[in-house]
Amino acid sequence: MVVDVADSAYPKHAIFTEAEHIPLIDLSAESNLLAEIRDACKEWGFFQVVNHGASLELRRNIESAAREFFALSKEEKGKVKRDEVNPLGYYDSEHTKNVRDWKELFDLAVESPIVMPVSHDSDDKELMEMHNRWPEYPPNFREACQEYALEVKNLAFKLLQLISLSLGLPENHLDGFFKVHASLVRINYYPPCPTPDVALGVGPHKDSVGLTILAQDDVGGLEVKRKAGGAWIRVEPIPDAYIVNLGAIMQAWTNDMYESVEHRAIVNSERERFSIGFFFNPAHYVNVEPLKELIDHQKNPAKYKPFNWGKFVATRRRSNFKKLDVPNLQVSDFKIAAEY
């Protein structure tokens, strides 16, 4: 596997610290739960949850199936390789911000098919259906993935409601944006890398989603950029915990009260690593803008112009397959210039 090197993105040029840890929240707690979520969202944009109620058996099933799938030959995995027409399935040449990642992946829709814009052109109204591609082997792969996806979807709604309450909004206030949703599960496989000082499994980025819910194995490798100070913080693996990450949509909805933060995945020279991400996405037609309940035109005016989520993702998706001559689109590109 060959990767491109972008000096500003790679570990040898960064500052690490293990003195801090992202917040760990017990979802079964009866007191201070909303305050803990509010503080974690405001100060970090990331937190881990335990006692979350999601089935550990289904998690074990998909983890086992993933190991079997990625152990297959390149030829076998290539039978379900994704492309720009239908970006679901296996892939081994992902780019993050125009830099090649050191990883293989398998993407699947939680509810197939997903309807998305054909292009990023705002005048192009054509839509396409994205259908899951399923490998023949291992034989239990499809069932394991589908059962896991539905289980974590339930956790995603639970977390969405807690976040809504933490903002002082009704519990179900954000649910309507996800009544029809385009959520994805991504299984990441990071092979051992002989040069971990000049490569990253995934380069620094912010997710384009509402929420990301990540299961990582005991190898670890996820790092979060601290809002205060900019140091990279290693997210220590906690058995059976899930890592929750606020995405670009949440940042825009909350008018920067809760921010999405940069994160990346480092690689290991000796051990392979797996992680499974659940990306909680609204429907393609959802227009994103600061929630009117959180805006005060005098004290806290809207900081973002409305933007269509489907077109936002269609624009970002172009750089997954090839280098572009323009930077990857970010939620900050929709910011309204401050008046002085």
Side-chain angles (χ1 to χ4, degrees):
M1 184 180 293
V2 178
V3 296
D4 302 307
V5 175
D7 284 350
S8 63
Y10 283 83
K12 63 181 180 180
H13 299 283
I15 299 173
F16 299 95
T17 178
E18 296 183 358
E20 293 185 280
H21 298 281
I22 69 170
L24 177 64
I25 299 176
D26 183 345
L27 292 188
S28 69
E30 296 183 358
S31 62
N32 298 322
L33 178 58
L34 294 181
E36 288 185 27
I37 289 175
R38 183 184 307 112
D39 290 345
C41 291
K42 290 181 70 172
E43 296 176 16
W44 284 86
F46 265 82
F47 53 94
Q48 293 202 72
V49 295
V50 293
N51 294 323
H52 41 69
S55 168
L56 298 179
E57 180 183 0
L58 296 182
R59 178 164 167 175
R60 301 287 183 269
N61 289 346
I62 192 173
E63 289 171 341
S64 176
R67 290 182 182 277
E68 288 187 58
F69 173 76
F70 285 104
L72 297 172
S73 67
K74 286 278 189 178
E75 180 182 9
E76 192 65 33
K77 289 181 286 191
K79 293 178 180 179
V80 288
K81 192 169 185 177
R82 77 181 196 183
D83 52 44
E84 292 186 63
V85 176
N86 184 15
L88 296 177
Y90 171 76
Y91 201 58
D92 62 353
S93 304
E94 180 91 336
H95 286 71
T96 299
K97 290 187 177 179
N98 289 326
V99 178
R100 175 81 173 270
D101 296 332
W102 187 277
K103 74 171 187 287
E104 299 174 30
L105 61 86
F106 187 93
D107 282 341
L108 63 110
V110 176
E111 296 180 2
S112 181
I114 288 177
V115 178
M116 291 294 286
V118 167
S119 78
H120 65 288
D121 185 345
S122 60
D123 293 326
D124 185 353
K125 306 303 181 184
E126 187 178 356
L127 301 173
M128 66 177 182
E129 290 188 347
M130 296 161 46
H131 293 264
N132 283 329
R133 290 186 171 103
W134 296 110
E136 186 177 355
Y137 301 104
N140 65 326
F141 186 82
R142 178 173 182 169
E143 181 181 8
C145 290
Q146 289 178 323
E147 290 181 343
Y148 177 84
L150 293 177
E151 183 76 357
V152 182
K153 182 191 77 171
N154 293 333
L155 175 59
F157 273 106
K158 178 179 179 179
L159 289 165
L160 188 72
Q161 290 165 1
L162 289 170
I163 289 171
S164 183
L165 288 170
S166 79
L167 290 164
L169 301 172
E171 181 179 53
N172 298 321
H173 193 75
L174 301 174
D175 286 15
F177 294 115
F178 298 88
K179 185 175 182 179
V180 175
H181 61 100
S183 300
L184 298 171
V185 169
R186 167 169 291 183
I187 307 172
N188 298 300
Y189 167 58
Y190 303 94
C193 177
T195 55
D197 58 328
V198 295
L200 283 171
V202 182
H205 66 285
K206 298 182 180 182
D207 293 343
S208 58
V209 304
L211 297 174
T212 299
I213 302 173
L214 184 78
Q216 70 168 344
D217 65 12
D218 63 336
V219 176
L222 177 65
E223 295 182 339
V224 174
K225 194 171 187 179
R226 187 70 165 98
K227 285 179 62 177
W232 287 102
I233 309 296
R234 290 191 173 98
V235 181
E236 297 299 327
I238 295 176
D240 303 327
Y242 280 103
I243 301 161
V244 182
N245 164 25
L246 304 184
I249 300 173
M250 194 64 68
Q251 179 169 324
W253 276 339
T254 65
N255 209 36
D256 285 348
M257 184 183 302
Y258 293 171
E259 292 183 40
S260 177
V261 300
E262 279 196 315
H263 51 286
R264 66 185 185 184
I266 61 171
V267 286
N268 192 295
S269 61
E270 298 178 357
R271 298 182 63 186
E272 62 184 8
R273 174 180 179 250
F274 291 85
S275 68
I276 306 170
F278 180 100
F279 301 110
F280 199 26
N281 299 322
H284 72 89
Y285 51 75
V286 167
N287 291 318
V288 179
E289 60 184 313
L291 299 170
K292 65 179 186 298
E293 294 84 359
L294 302 180
I295 291 175
D296 182 310
H297 293 290
Q298 296 297 322
K299 298 180 180 179
N300 185 34
K303 298 176 182 177
Y304 292 89
K305 298 175 288 186
F307 62 92
N308 175 261
W309 183 79
K311 291 296 185 181
F312 176 53
V313 172
T315 304
R316 287 171 61 96
R317 190 174 62 228
R318 293 188 304 149
S319 68
N320 287 349
F321 296 90
K322 58 191 174 185
K323 276 193 170 186
L324 300 178
D325 295 328
V326 294
N328 194 254
L329 187 67
Q330 303 295 319
V331 68
S332 57
D333 292 321
F334 298 97
K335 276 228 171 183
I336 298 171
E339 295 182 1
Y340 295 98

Coordinates of all heavy atoms in Angstrom, one line a residue, residues 111 153 157 160 174-182 280-283 285-286:
E111 N -30.2 1.4 6.2 CA -31.4 1.1 5.5 C -31.2 1.3 4.0 O -31.1 2.4 3.5 CB -32.5 2.0 6.0 CG -32.8 1.8 7.5 CD -33.9 2.7 8.1 OE1 -34.5 3.5 7.3 OE2 -34.2 2.6 9.3
K153 N -28.4 2.0 15.6 CA -29.3 3.1 15.3 C -30.2 3.4 16.5 O -30.4 4.6 16.7 CB -30.2 2.6 14.1 CG -31.2 3.7 13.7 CD -32.2 3.1 12.7 CE -33.3 2.3 13.5 NZ -34.4 2.0 12.6
F157 N -30.4 7.2 18.3 CA -31.6 8.0 18.7 C -31.6 8.4 20.2 O -31.9 9.5 20.6 CB -32.9 7.3 18.3 CG -33.3 7.6 16.9 CD1 -33.1 6.6 15.9 CD2 -33.8 8.8 16.5 CE1 -33.5 6.9 14.6 CE2 -34.2 9.1 15.2 CZ -34.1 8.1 14.2
L160 N -29.1 11.1 20.6 CA -29.6 12.3 20.0 C -30.6 13.0 20.9 O -30.6 14.3 21.1 CB -30.3 12.0 18.7 CG -30.8 13.2 17.8 CD1 -29.6 13.9 17.2 CD2 -31.7 12.7 16.7
L174 N -34.9 16.9 17.8 CA -34.1 16.6 16.6 C -34.4 15.4 15.8 O -33.9 15.1 14.8 CB -32.6 16.5 17.1 CG -32.0 17.7 17.8 CD1 -30.6 17.4 18.3 CD2 -32.0 18.9 16.9
D175 N -35.4 14.6 16.4 CA -35.7 13.3 15.8 C -36.2 13.4 14.4 O -36.0 12.6 13.5 CB -36.7 12.5 16.6 CG -36.2 12.0 17.9 OD1 -35.0 12.4 18.3 OD2 -36.8 11.1 18.5
G176 N -37.0 14.5 14.1 CA -37.6 14.6 12.8 C -36.6 14.7 11.7 O -37.0 14.3 10.5
F177 N -35.4 15.3 11.9 CA -34.4 15.3 10.9 C -34.0 14.0 10.4 O -33.4 13.8 9.3 CB -33.2 16.1 11.4 CG -33.5 17.6 11.6 CD1 -33.4 18.1 12.9 CD2 -33.9 18.4 10.6 CE1 -33.6 19.4 13.2 CE2 -34.1 19.8 10.9 CZ -34.0 20.3 12.1
F178 N -34.2 12.9 11.2 CA -33.7 11.6 11.0 C -34.9 10.6 10.7 O -34.7 9.4 10.8 CB -32.8 11.1 12.1 CG -31.6 11.9 12.3 CD1 -31.6 13.0 13.1 CD2 -30.4 11.6 11.7 CE1 -30.5 13.8 13.3 CE2 -29.3 12.4 11.8 CZ -29.3 13.5 12.7
K179 N -36.1 11.2 10.5 CA -37.2 10.3 10.3 C -37.0 9.4 9.1 O -37.2 8.2 9.1 CB -38.5 11.1 10.1 CG -39.8 10.3 9.9 CD -41.0 11.2 9.8 CE -42.3 10.3 9.7 NZ -43.5 11.2 9.6
V180 N -36.5 10.0 8.0 CA -35.8 9.2 6.9 C -34.3 9.6 7.0 O -34.0 10.7 7.1 CB -36.4 9.7 5.6 CG1 -35.6 9.0 4.4 CG2 -37.9 9.4 5.5
H181 N -33.5 8.6 7.1 CA -32.1 8.9 7.3 C -31.2 8.1 6.3 O -31.6 7.1 5.7 CB -31.7 8.6 8.7 CG -31.8 7.2 9.2 ND1 -30.8 6.3 9.2 CD2 -32.9 6.5 9.6 CE1 -31.2 5.1 9.7 NE2 -32.5 5.2 9.9
A182 N -30.0 8.6 6.1 CA -29.1 8.0 5.2 C -27.8 7.6 5.9 O -26.7 7.7 5.5 CB -28.7 9.1 4.1
F280 N -24.5 8.7 11.7 CA -25.9 9.1 11.8 C -26.2 10.3 11.0 O -25.9 11.4 11.3 CB -26.3 9.3 13.3 CG -27.7 9.2 13.6 CD1 -28.6 8.4 12.9 CD2 -28.2 9.9 14.7 CE1 -29.9 8.3 13.3 CE2 -29.6 9.8 15.1 CZ -30.4 9.0 14.3
N281 N -26.8 10.0 9.8 CA -27.0 11.0 8.8 C -28.5 11.3 8.6 O -29.3 10.3 8.6 CB -26.5 10.5 7.4 CG -25.0 10.3 7.5 OD1 -24.2 11.1 8.1 ND2 -24.5 9.3 6.8
P282 N -28.9 12.5 8.3 CA -30.3 12.8 7.9 C -30.5 12.4 6.5 O -29.6 11.9 5.8 CB -30.4 14.3 8.1 CG -29.0 14.8 7.8 CD -28.1 13.7 8.3
A283 N -31.7 12.7 6.0 CA -32.0 12.5 4.5 C -31.3 13.5 3.7 O -31.0 14.6 4.2 CB -33.5 12.5 4.3
Y285 N -32.4 15.5 1.6 CA -33.2 16.8 1.3 C -33.2 17.7 2.6 O -33.7 18.9 2.5 CB -34.6 16.5 0.9 CG -35.3 15.6 1.8 CD1 -35.8 16.0 3.1 CD2 -35.6 14.2 1.5 CE1 -36.5 15.1 3.9 CE2 -36.2 13.3 2.3 CZ -36.7 13.8 3.5 OH -37.4 12.9 4.3
V286 N -32.6 17.3 3.7 CA -32.6 18.1 4.9 C -31.7 19.4 4.7 O -30.5 19.2 4.3 CB -32.1 17.3 6.1 CG1 -31.8 18.2 7.3 CG2 -33.2 16.3 6.5

